[in-house]
Amino acid sequence: MSKKEAKYPKQAKKEEIEEIKKIFLKHYPDSVTELNYKNLYELLVAVMLSAQCTDKRVNIITPALFKKYPGTKELANANLDDVKELIKSCSFFNNKAKNLVAMAKMVEEEYGGKIPLEQKELIKLPGVGQKTANVILIEYTGANLMAVDTHVFRVAHRLGLSKAKTAKGTEEDLVKKFKTNLHQLHQAMVLFGRYKCKAANPLCEECIVKKYCKSKEGFKARG
Ligand code: SF4
C-alpha cells in the first residue's frame, strides 16, 4: 500500500459488499428524500437549496417560496431581491437566489417551461451539478444512479467501500461495487449517515453494519 493510501481503512471484500448491500436494502426498503415537495419543480428548487444546508432548514423556507413562485414561469420573472429575502436563512443564499431565477429562465426559454428529466440536460441548468441532477433523478424517477453527499461519503469510507478522496470518485466506486438498486442504496446511506453513522458521535452500539465497519474515524467529502 502506498503512503498516500495508508490513512484509508481496509477495503471491503466482495462478500462483505453484498452483505452490506442486503442489510441496507432490508432496513431502508422504501426510503425517500426528507425534502418536502409536490412536483418536479418543487423538488428541483428544494434540492438546489439543500446544498450545504440542512433539509430541515429547506423545508422551513420552501412553503413561502412556492406560494409566491408556484412554477418556473413565476420564478423566471421574480425580483432577485425578493427571492433573496425569502431564502436568506439558507447558506449561500445570494448565489442560490441568482441560480434559481436563472434556472427558471432557462427552463422557460429553452425547454418550453418543462424541466428536463435527463442528466445531460439537467446539468446545463444554472446551479445544477451532477450530484443535484442525480439526486433529482433518483428521487423522481428511481433511476439506477448514485449521488454522494457528505453522509454517503462518510459511510462509504467507514465501511471500506471507497478510498477515493472526492465525491465523484466515491460515486464511481459505489456504482462499480453495488451495481444495482443504487437509488435505494443512496437514500439508505443518506439516512444511515444522518441519524446513525454520524460524523461526530456515531451510534456504533446499535449499528446494523458494525460487523463490516473498517474504521471509527471521521472523513469529510471534498470536491
Ligand atoms: Fe458508522 Fe459506527 Fe457503524 Fe462504523 S460501527 S459504520 S462508525 S455507526
Side-chain angles (χ1 to χ4, degrees), residues 155 158-159 192 196-198 202-217:
V155 171
R158 284 177 174 173
L159 290 173
F192 177 68
K196 305 287 182 189
C197 189
K198 300 186 280 186
L203 308 180
C204 301
E205 286 311 308
E206 55 185 78
C207 176
I208 51 173
V209 281
K210 193 175 175 181
K211 200 173 146 191
Y212 307 103
C213 184
K214 301 282 184 277
S215 170
K216 305 266 157 71
E217 295 296 312

Side-chain angles (χ1 to χ4, degrees), residues 178-194:
F178 285 144
K179 293 186 182 65
T180 58
N181 302 91
L182 297 178
H183 66 293
Q184 287 158 292
L185 291 162
H186 162 78
Q187 310 280 28
M189 289 171 85
V190 170
L191 294 178
F192 177 68
R194 184 176 290 157

Side-chain angles (χ1 to χ4, degrees), residues 144-163:
N144 191 41
L145 291 169
M146 177 54 67
V148 174
D149 68 358
T150 184
H151 304 300
V152 176
F153 186 94
R154 186 172 62 254
V155 171
H157 284 74
R158 284 177 174 173
L159 290 173
L161 297 169
S162 176
K163 54 185 174 181

Side-chain angles (χ1 to χ4, degrees), residues 72-140:
T72 46
K73 197 171 164 199
E74 294 79 8
L75 191 57
N77 293 303
N79 175 296
L80 188 57
D81 287 334
D82 292 345
V83 178
K84 284 183 188 173
E85 184 59 30
L86 282 166
I87 68 165
K88 68 180 180 195
S89 63
C90 191
S91 50
F92 306 107
F93 71 95
N94 274 314
N95 258 338
K96 286 180 182 174
K98 275 185 216 153
N99 282 333
L100 285 176
V101 175
M103 172 281 288
K105 278 196 173 125
M106 191 164 172
V107 170
E108 283 300 307
E109 287 163 14
E110 299 198 19
Y111 296 95
K114 208 164 175 275
I115 295 165
L117 266 177
E118 282 145 46
Q119 191 196 58
K120 70 177 194 333
E121 298 301 322
L122 271 171
I123 57 174
K124 288 181 191 164
L125 299 174
V128 180
Q130 185 171 316
K131 189 181 89 188
T132 300
N134 284 7
V135 169
I136 289 159
L137 294 169
I138 286 166
E139 175 69 22
Y140 203 74

Side-chain angles (χ1 to χ4, degrees), residues 22 29 97 129 142 171:
K22 258 192 230 160
E171 180 191 316

Side-chain angles (χ1 to χ4, degrees), residues 35-36 41-63 65-66 75 83-84 86-100 103 127-128 132 136:
L35 292 166
N36 297 333
Y41 160 74
E42 291 190 1
L43 175 64
L44 174 56
V45 170
V47 176
M48 286 174 75
L49 286 173
S50 72
Q52 314 283 321
C53 187
T54 64
D55 288 2
K56 229 179 186 170
R57 165 65 40 203
V58 174
N59 287 338
I60 292 171
I61 292 169
T62 47
L65 186 70
F66 296 151
L75 191 57
V83 178
K84 284 183 188 173
L86 282 166
I87 68 165
K88 68 180 180 195
S89 63
C90 191
S91 50
F92 306 107
F93 71 95
N94 274 314
N95 258 338
K96 286 180 182 174
K98 275 185 216 153
N99 282 333
L100 285 176
M103 172 281 288
V128 180
T132 300
I136 289 159

